[in-house]
Amino acid sequence: MLLHIDSSADTTADSVTRQLTETFARTHGTADHRHRDLSAEPVPPITPAYTTLGRRVEREGFVPPAKVPALIESAAEQREWDLTRPYLTELLAADTLLLGVPMYNFSIPASLKAWIDRVTFPGALTDPDTGESLLRDTRVVVVMARGGGYGPGTPREHFDFQTSYLRAYFGNLGVPPDHLHLVAAELTRVDVMPHLAGLESLAAASLTRARATLTTLAAV
């Protein structure tokens, strides 16, 4: 299954990440395609009941999702688990996870962070028998867009917390480095930001490279 998640607050007409994830999904061509729009359908932020249940589960070791209900002690905890389980089920069913991630304030959108916080439930992504990651065979394709330039050698290279965060997050979850593909289009706001004037050709080249890379990845 292809799990396709967009997190941009922009519509497709204005969103580079939405356009690029659509390119990937269309080229990939799988009939088993689940699309989730985190802007149109926000993931509820986690609450104290989520963290209380999570700590109780952690004390038990690696607890598979099927056994979490036995540890629930309140209606609030039950509500949090009922909200969480569908997102986990989708993620664990995916062969490929496709994420559209614009850079907001040097990092990722709050809509995506809410999804990350919810699916990273203690033990739910770990094989309880072996301790191995349940995402070890999942391919993750992250489509990033930045209004400015944050590549190697640029003045704002060290402002890019988007790439480092996503690499650390998925690496910590056990996604192998060769299964994690981070594809960025830069200077995407060259048409509206006066200080980027003159960089149009660089912006176009970056977008072309990103689209070509995604087309290649989608065909695999």
Side-chain angles (χ1 to χ4, degrees):
M1 182 187 80
L2 171 63
L3 177 56
H4 170 186
I5 295 178
D6 283 312
S7 62
S8 175
D10 288 330
T11 63
T12 300
D14 294 321
S15 170
V16 171
T17 57
R18 287 181 185 274
Q19 293 169 26
L20 290 174
T21 57
E22 185 178 340
T23 294
F24 182 99
R26 185 172 60 250
T27 305
H28 192 271
T30 180
D32 197 1
H33 173 200
R34 173 75 171 97
H35 181 226
R36 185 173 287 281
D37 186 337
L38 300 183
S39 181
E41 298 180 62
V43 176
I46 62 173
T47 69
Y50 177 104
T51 58
T52 298
L53 176 60
R55 283 194 294 271
R56 189 177 306 118
V57 167
E58 282 182 308
R59 285 192 285 269
E60 297 292 327
F62 294 121
V63 177
K67 295 185 177 180
V68 170
L71 298 174
I72 292 173
E73 296 184 356
S74 70
E77 291 177 9
Q78 183 67 58
R79 178 180 180 276
E80 288 299 301
W81 182 242
D82 290 343
L83 286 171
T84 302
R85 187 63 191 270
Y87 299 110
L88 277 171
T89 301
E90 280 183 346
L91 177 57
L92 290 171
D95 301 303
T96 298
L97 171 63
L98 172 65
L99 292 175
V101 189
M103 176 184 278
Y104 287 174
N105 300 307
F106 312 122
S107 188
I108 67 172
S111 59
L112 178 59
K113 186 59 166 61
W115 179 85
I116 284 174
D117 289 342
R118 193 160 284 283
V119 299
T120 318
F121 189 83
L125 302 177
T126 303
D127 187 318
D129 296 321
T130 66
E132 290 187 297
S133 169
L134 293 175
L135 300 182
R136 62 187 179 276
D137 295 322
T138 305
R139 183 171 65 148
V140 179
V141 179
V142 181
V143 180
M144 302 181 294
R146 298 90 173 268
Y150 297 84
T154 62
R156 290 197 166 196
E157 176 182 359
H158 301 297
F159 285 44
D160 176 15
F161 299 101
Q162 181 191 39
T163 303
S164 58
Y165 173 76
L166 291 167
R167 194 182 301 281
Y169 173 69
F170 284 110
N172 186 62
L173 285 187
V175 176
D178 60 341
H179 285 197
L180 177 60
H181 305 277
L182 300 169
V183 183
E186 297 219 318
L187 301 167
T188 61
R189 290 295 176 256
V190 70
D191 58 333
V192 297
M193 301 175 74
H195 69 280
L196 298 179
L199 301 179
E200 288 81 3
S201 62
L202 291 177
S206 179
L207 183 59
T208 297
R209 283 194 301 272
R211 186 173 284 115
T213 299
L214 290 168
T215 299
T216 299
L217 288 171
V220 175

